């Protein structure tokens, strides 16, 4: 079976000037339309098509199936740039990394999925894991799954199934056609509105067994992108959104602080000691967290490229760098909000988009405060105490 596309199978522009131009064009369109996306609570398919042209949705498709896998740092720096314009759209774009999960599928299934091209937008509403009825050839799936970020523009959806004997108790992801499920629009939130992380409902939907896999399961394709730790990468691509939000917020307060006088005609905000010190400290904190984040990413990627062993300690450092990025990035945005003063409380203020969205990633289960302790446990040779960590 091939997967029909809600955005048609848009192909990426050729690598080089054409693709760089497509990415820059997508950023310009985003500056014009980010308020639209925020109000409607989703990034629409026509904008997903622009991200496909920019190569975001073939970045984790194995080369074996026509993909052009990007090293994690290069991909995440693109997500970071998108997030500096609009963090919620950066969150949706970050799932261009998630096709790496499909490498746990049978090779024949992967070939069918990519038969019409490698540019595939995936969204997963995996929780809560639902019990499915095992029938001949597959599963009958019923239930409601939450948090399917980007589902309104996805070509293919994933739903979570409770594990059984066939998966050694490990939970499964079942891949389904968006046309076969109902999108339940329940994404009524204060931040990350444009991610469109609505719920997905199915009623006795048959999913062939070959369209199910263990998330983070053993890859059936051996390439550097499939050797890089999948679950830590999932945490990283969400954390980098906060780094982008922090950069956008700091760029704004720096621009405002450079004005020669305040709106009242008094001393310019940027010439006040607290403003100068706050901006400098936030810049240092952001750059420090960002340096650690990309340093450990590149170290582990080199191991993936060479085929060397990637240990739990390596994975724990990836998770630690991701959690640090999410928490420091959030603090930096709060500093920018503080520096901006009273005007920033208005809903229409430019910092509100960064403030509301940047609070969200550190709330995610993969980036919450307890993951600091879990990483420390692994570094000490102890049990992490969190399922699927690192």
């Amino acid at each position: 079976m091939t997967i029909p596309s809600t955005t048609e199978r848009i192909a990426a522009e050729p690598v080089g000037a054409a693709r760089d131009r497509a990415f820059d064009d997508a950023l310009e369109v985003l500056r014009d339309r980010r308020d639209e996306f925020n109000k409607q609570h989703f990034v629409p398919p026509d904008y997903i098509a622009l991200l496909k042209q920019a190569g975001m949705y073939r970045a984790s498709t194995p080369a074996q199936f026509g993909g052009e896998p990007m090293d994690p740092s290069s991909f995440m720096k693109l997500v970071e740039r998108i997030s500096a314009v609009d963090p919620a759209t950066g969150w949706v774009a970050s799932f261009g990394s998630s096709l790496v999960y499909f490498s746990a599928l049978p090779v024949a299934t992967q070939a069918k999925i990519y038969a019409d091209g490698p540019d595939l937008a995936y969204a997963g509403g995996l929780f809560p894991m639902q019990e499915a009825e095992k029938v001949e050839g597959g599963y009958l799936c019923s239930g409601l799954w939450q948090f399917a970020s980007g589902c309104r523009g996805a070509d293919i959806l994933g739903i979570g199934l409770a594990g059984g004997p066939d998966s050694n108790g490990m939970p499964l992801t079942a891949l389904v056609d968006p046309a076969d499920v109902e999108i339940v629009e329940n994404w009524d939130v204060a931040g990350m509105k444009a991610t469109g992380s609505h719920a997905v409902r199915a009623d006795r939907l048959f999913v062939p067994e070959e369209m199910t896999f263990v998330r983070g399961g053993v890859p059936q394709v051996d390439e550097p992108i499939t050797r890089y730790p999948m679950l830590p990468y999932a945490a990283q691509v969400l954390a980098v959104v906060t780094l982008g939000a922090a950069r956008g917020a700091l760029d704004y307060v720096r621009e405002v602080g450079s004005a020669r006088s305040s709106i009242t005609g008094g001393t310019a905000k940027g010439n006040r000691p607290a403003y100068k010190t706050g901006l400098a400290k936030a810049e240092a904190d952001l750059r420090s967290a960002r340096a650690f984040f990309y340093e450990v990413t590149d170290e582990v990627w080199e191991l993936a490229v060479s085929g060397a062993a990637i240990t739990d300690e390596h994975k724990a450092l990836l998770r630690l760098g991701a959690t640090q990025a999410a928490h420091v990035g959030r603090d930096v945005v709060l500093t920018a909000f503080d520096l901006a003063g009273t005007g920033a409380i208005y809903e229409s203020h430019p910092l509100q988009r960064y403030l509301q969205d940047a609070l969200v990633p550190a709330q995610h289960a993969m980036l919450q405060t307890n993951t600091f302790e879990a990483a420390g446990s692994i570094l000490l040779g102890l049990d992490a105490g969190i399922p699927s960590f690192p």
Side-chain angles (χ1 to χ4, degrees):
M1 95 185 246
T2 56
I3 302 297
S5 173
T6 58
T7 57
E8 304 177 355
R9 282 297 178 91
I10 303 295
E13 294 290 342
V15 173
R19 188 172 298 179
D20 293 343
R21 205 162 39 244
F23 185 83
D24 290 340
D25 289 346
L27 289 186
E28 285 304 310
V29 171
L30 183 57
R31 290 185 181 94
D32 290 337
R33 298 184 63 189
R34 54 192 175 185
D35 291 337
E36 169 197 335
F37 299 169
N38 192 59
K39 288 176 183 176
Q40 69 188 18
H41 285 208
F42 67 94
V43 178
D46 68 300
Y47 190 77
I48 297 297
L50 296 183
L51 294 177
K52 285 184 177 182
Q53 291 175 326
M56 297 299 291
Y57 289 101
R58 63 170 54 192
S60 65
T61 303
Q64 178 174 336
F65 303 111
E68 294 169 335
M70 296 178 67
D71 67 274
S73 282
S74 294
F75 176 77
M76 290 191 289
K77 286 173 182 177
L78 295 180
V79 174
E80 191 178 3
R81 288 177 62 191
I82 295 168
S83 301
V85 177
D86 184 58
T89 302
W91 184 278
V92 173
S94 78
F95 292 103
S97 66
S98 60
L99 298 185
V100 71
Y101 297 137
F102 294 7
S103 64
L105 288 162
V107 173
T109 301
Q110 295 181 59
K112 291 178 181 179
I113 288 174
Y114 298 120
D116 291 335
D119 304 279
L120 195 68
Y122 167 69
L126 305 181
F127 301 100
M129 298 290 180
Q130 303 286 359
E131 295 285 346
E133 180 183 347
K134 187 72 169 70
V135 296
E136 184 177 354
Y139 300 88
L140 289 177
C141 305
S142 299
L144 184 74
W145 293 266
Q146 305 286 351
F147 307 121
S149 298
C151 60
R152 290 288 300 273
D155 301 310
I156 185 169
L157 295 174
I159 55 177
L161 307 181
D166 293 341
S167 64
N168 295 318
M170 298 290 289
L172 294 172
T173 297
L175 297 181
V176 301
D177 184 337
D180 292 335
V181 298
E182 176 190 359
I183 303 299
V184 180
E185 296 192 353
N186 65 346
W187 190 237
D188 185 16
V189 291
M192 290 291 180
K193 295 176 183 178
T195 63
S197 303
H198 300 294
V200 174
R201 178 183 286 132
D203 183 19
R204 294 186 65 77
L205 175 63
F206 176 73
V207 179
E209 188 167 5
E210 64 267 21
M211 294 297 289
T212 66
F213 61 91
V214 174
R215 183 171 178 241
V218 178
Q220 302 304 301
V221 173
D222 184 27
E223 296 184 15
I225 193 65
T226 64
R227 297 177 205 142
Y228 191 82
M230 295 181 192
L231 295 182
Y233 196 18
Q236 287 186 290
V237 297
L238 301 181
V240 79
V241 171
T242 323
L243 293 180
R247 172 47 56 205
L250 277 190
D251 286 350
Y252 174 82
V253 295
R254 182 174 179 178
E255 180 182 357
V256 171
S258 297
R260 294 186 179 277
S261 63
S262 72
I263 193 172
T264 61
T267 302
K269 283 185 178 181
N271 205 29
R272 299 169 188 170
Y275 200 103
K276 289 182 282 190
T277 301
L279 174 63
K281 179 68 164 57
E283 186 72 39
D285 289 344
L286 177 59
R287 287 176 179 263
S288 297
R290 187 176 184 274
F292 171 43
F293 180 87
Y294 284 115
E295 175 188 299
V296 67
T297 298
D298 291 339
E299 287 177 0
V300 177
W301 176 249
E302 287 180 8
L303 297 175
V305 170
S306 68
I310 296 173
T311 66
D312 279 351
E313 181 167 332
H314 290 125
K315 296 174 186 177
L317 287 172
L318 291 174
R319 294 294 301 270
L320 179 59
T323 298
Q324 179 75 348
H327 286 255
V328 170
R330 179 175 63 178
D331 290 344
V332 166
V333 172
L334 288 170
T335 295
F337 178 72
D338 182 51
L339 294 176
T342 306
I345 69 173
Y346 286 92
E347 185 71 29
S348 60
H349 193 277
L351 278 181
Q352 280 295 326
R353 108 173 57 257
Y354 301 115
L355 177 67
Q356 293 175 24
D357 289 354
L359 295 178
V360 175
Q363 298 295 109
H364 194 281
M366 299 190 85
L367 298 167
Q368 288 177 6
T369 304
N370 63 342
T371 55
F372 280 115
E373 179 184 358
S377 295
I378 296 296
L379 295 179
L380 290 168
L382 304 174
D383 182 75
I386 299 177
S388 300
F389 192 100

